[in-house]
Amino acid sequence: MEKNYKGLNIAIISLAAASVIALLIFVIMNISMSSYKNVAEKYDRAINEGRYDDAYEYLDVEDSVFLTEKEFLERNSVLSDVLNGFDFKSILKTLGKKGINIALSRLLGVQYKVIEAEDADGMASVTYEKSSKYDPYGVLNGMSTVQLKKGDHNHMLFFPNWRISDDSIIVNDITLYVPKCQKVLINGIEMPASYMQGEEGNYVIYKIPGLYNGDQVCSITMDGENYKHYNISAKKSKDTIYVEDINATPEQQLEAVNAAYDAFKKIIDAEARGADFNEIKDIFTPDSIKAEREKYNEDKTSFITTNKTSGIKEVNVKDVAATFYDISFTNGTVEIGVMLEYNDSNKGVIEPMIATFLGRNEGEDANNNDTQIIRMQYVDGKWLVSSSGENRIAENNWFML
């Protein structure tokens, strides 16, 4: 009986010792695995080897709905580099370099040596020197610095939870000004109401916890219309973004340019025929109709519409070149300026006394080069004229008194 107790005591002591050893191993491994240096290395290694889904797990993304894994994978993928290439050579260069680095990193392995590391107040920075002993040409050699942030909640209750929070990857605490609208979406994800901070003039202000560094696609809806997408750019040196800081896509530019050219032809044709402004008022924005009616009627007096003895009787506008000029937001909608350059060689008549003095009676005006800026505003799903420029033909011909 005494023997059995002795054996039981030995078993209990052995089990306790094993438990202590296991606990020590568990603690040591977790302390090592959760150290900010280790987390930084694992993240950088995953990026180098093209394991972007693994790299995403180390990011500090829980505070923002826009830092999705899908978006992260697309931004880092080789396909993304191809789609964003400016020309064939740059695509090959980017694709080749990235593909080679990923392949070599996986095949040869990369060794990390800490050059500098520091942490204070829940923030840390690690600089590594990277190399491979199987890489005689030093293709994989380089330096890498990673910024980290300690999470609010510990890993497994006791261990610090370090996450990658680097402004070259994620830009934090961005203030976004957007014209008053019903919905705001970034990269197809709707802006949470909790991000809204208030209003200022015609703008709604949002505070976004985080966006991926670089270009984003922002879209807004007003009056049930789903407006076109506008490019905004999140940068580590820029913590405030106005949606009017936008770039028009080539498709948007082409739409506005074509609409401006068509509107210009309709205005000139109507003026030359002496038509009433109401015939073309639908091509203007509601806010511009009064001012444009006045300009139209002033210009129309230059043309022969009644029994006048001077003025243009035939308009011949040619060699028209319409080009994208600029872009902005006006009254909550996107507005694109289009520059029109053209020649007009108009036929007309001149007052008899003036004609005698000039030695001509009726004829053709010499080619006159002119430039107009027509502004096109996107209203209710179509491009309308918000300003068509003054004196389109009136001041550049010899038929005027």
Side-chain angles (χ1 to χ4, degrees):
M1 193 74 168
E2 200 174 313
K3 244 182 192 180
N4 289 340
Y5 277 120
K6 190 174 180 181
L8 182 60
N9 288 337
I10 293 172
I12 292 172
I13 292 170
S14 299
L15 181 60
S19 298
V20 170
I21 293 171
L23 181 60
L24 285 172
I25 293 173
F26 172 78
V27 171
I28 292 170
M29 285 185 63
N30 274 279
I31 289 176
S32 173
M33 294 295 287
S34 61
S35 75
Y36 66 87
K37 297 176 187 177
N38 196 287
V39 172
E41 179 182 328
K42 288 192 289 186
Y43 169 79
D44 196 76
R45 190 182 294 277
I47 289 292
N48 286 338
E49 295 179 358
R51 295 181 289 105
Y52 303 119
D53 51 346
D54 292 335
Y56 179 81
E57 297 300 320
Y58 298 109
L59 292 179
D60 179 32
V61 296
E62 57 188 68
D63 292 334
S64 177
V65 301
F66 300 113
L67 302 176
T68 65
E69 182 176 8
K70 178 176 178 290
E71 181 73 11
F72 181 75
L73 297 180
E74 288 179 354
R75 283 174 176 272
N76 284 281
S77 68
V78 172
L79 177 60
S80 174
D81 291 331
V82 172
L83 294 177
N84 292 325
F86 293 104
D87 53 50
F88 187 68
K89 287 183 178 179
S90 67
I91 290 174
L92 287 180
K93 183 178 178 181
T94 302
L95 178 61
K97 184 178 179 181
K98 195 165 194 173
I100 289 172
N101 282 346
I102 290 174
L104 289 179
S105 295
R106 290 186 178 187
L107 181 65
L108 303 180
V110 176
Q111 296 173 321
Y112 284 76
K113 179 182 177 182
V114 177
I115 301 299
E116 187 178 348
E118 58 181 357
D119 73 289
D121 300 324
M123 303 298 293
S125 175
V126 188
T127 299
Y128 288 104
E129 184 178 71
K130 298 183 289 188
S131 62
S132 174
K133 60 182 178 181
Y134 303 109
D135 176 19
Y137 299 104
V139 175
L140 299 176
N141 290 359
M143 303 284 286
S144 180
T145 298
V146 182
Q147 311 288 333
L148 303 96
K149 174 184 176 183
K150 187 185 289 185
D152 296 331
H153 305 290
N154 288 336
H155 171 64
M156 299 188 74
L157 298 179
F158 304 105
F159 308 104
N161 185 22
W162 287 99
R163 315 292 292 174
I164 306 299
S165 182
D166 196 317
D167 56 13
S168 66
I169 305 165
I170 294 171
V171 184
N172 294 307
D173 299 325
I174 294 172
T175 301
L176 179 71
Y177 283 75
V178 178
K180 290 179 182 178
C181 55
Q182 292 160 343
K183 285 183 183 179
V184 179
L185 300 94
I186 294 182
N187 299 328
I189 300 172
E190 187 172 343
M191 182 79 70
S194 60
Y195 287 6
M196 186 171 168
Q197 298 291 297
E199 297 182 2
E200 185 179 301
N202 191 43
Y203 288 95
V204 179
I205 307 170
Y206 294 95
K207 190 76 170 183
I208 304 173
L211 285 174
Y212 289 117
N213 184 69
D215 291 337
Q216 319 286 325
V217 179
C218 178
S219 58
I220 61 178
T221 62
M222 283 187 260
D223 302 325
E225 283 292 326
N226 194 5
Y227 278 68
K228 294 177 182 293
H229 301 314
Y230 313 114
N231 296 331
I232 62 174
S233 184
K235 300 176 182 177
K236 59 184 180 180
S237 60
K238 184 178 182 181
D239 56 9
T240 301
I241 299 174
Y242 285 84
V243 171
E244 59 190 359
D245 295 339
I246 58 176
N247 296 314
T249 65
E251 291 77 16
Q252 288 173 309
Q253 293 181 29
L254 184 60
E255 283 181 8
V257 166
N258 287 337
Y261 179 62
D262 289 342
F264 175 74
K265 289 192 296 184
K266 289 177 181 177
I267 294 169
I268 293 297
D269 177 67
E271 286 177 343
R273 291 186 289 104
D276 189 82
F277 178 80
N278 287 333
E279 180 181 309
I280 59 169
K281 72 175 184 178
D282 289 343
I283 69 175
F284 298 95
T285 64
D287 292 339
S288 69
I289 285 179
K290 182 179 178 181
E292 289 298 319
R293 184 192 299 274
E294 291 176 0
K295 286 194 294 185
Y296 176 85
N297 289 331
E298 287 176 5
D299 282 359
K300 194 173 68 171
T301 59
S302 302
F303 299 92
I304 293 181
T305 57
T306 56
N307 293 323
K308 291 171 59 177
T309 56
S310 68
I312 301 170
K313 70 175 184 179
E314 181 181 323
V315 177
N316 182 16
V317 174
K318 60 185 179 180
D319 301 327
V320 182
T323 55
F324 172 81
Y325 185 69
D326 65 7
I327 184 168
S328 62
F329 258 105
T330 302
N331 299 327
T333 62
V334 67
E335 184 177 67
I336 288 180
V338 177
M339 177 179 287
L340 292 170
E341 297 178 82
Y342 53 91
N343 292 326
D344 63 89
S345 52
N346 312 307
K347 292 182 179 179
V349 294
I350 191 169
E351 285 276 8
M353 288 181 61
I354 303 296
T356 301
F357 178 76
L358 293 176
R360 61 174 77 174
N361 187 25
E362 180 175 338
E364 184 171 333
D365 193 16
N367 286 344
N368 294 285
N369 297 320
D370 201 8
T371 300
Q372 293 284 337
I373 301 294
I374 293 188
R375 306 202 68 80
M376 306 300 295
Q377 200 172 104
Y378 195 67
V379 181
D380 296 333
K382 56 186 177 182
W383 292 102
L384 298 177
V385 178
S386 61
S387 175
S388 63
E390 298 182 0
N391 302 314
R392 288 167 284 269
I393 297 297
E395 288 186 349
N396 61 354
N397 62 81
W398 60 267
F399 306 109
M400 289 300 299
L401 294 177

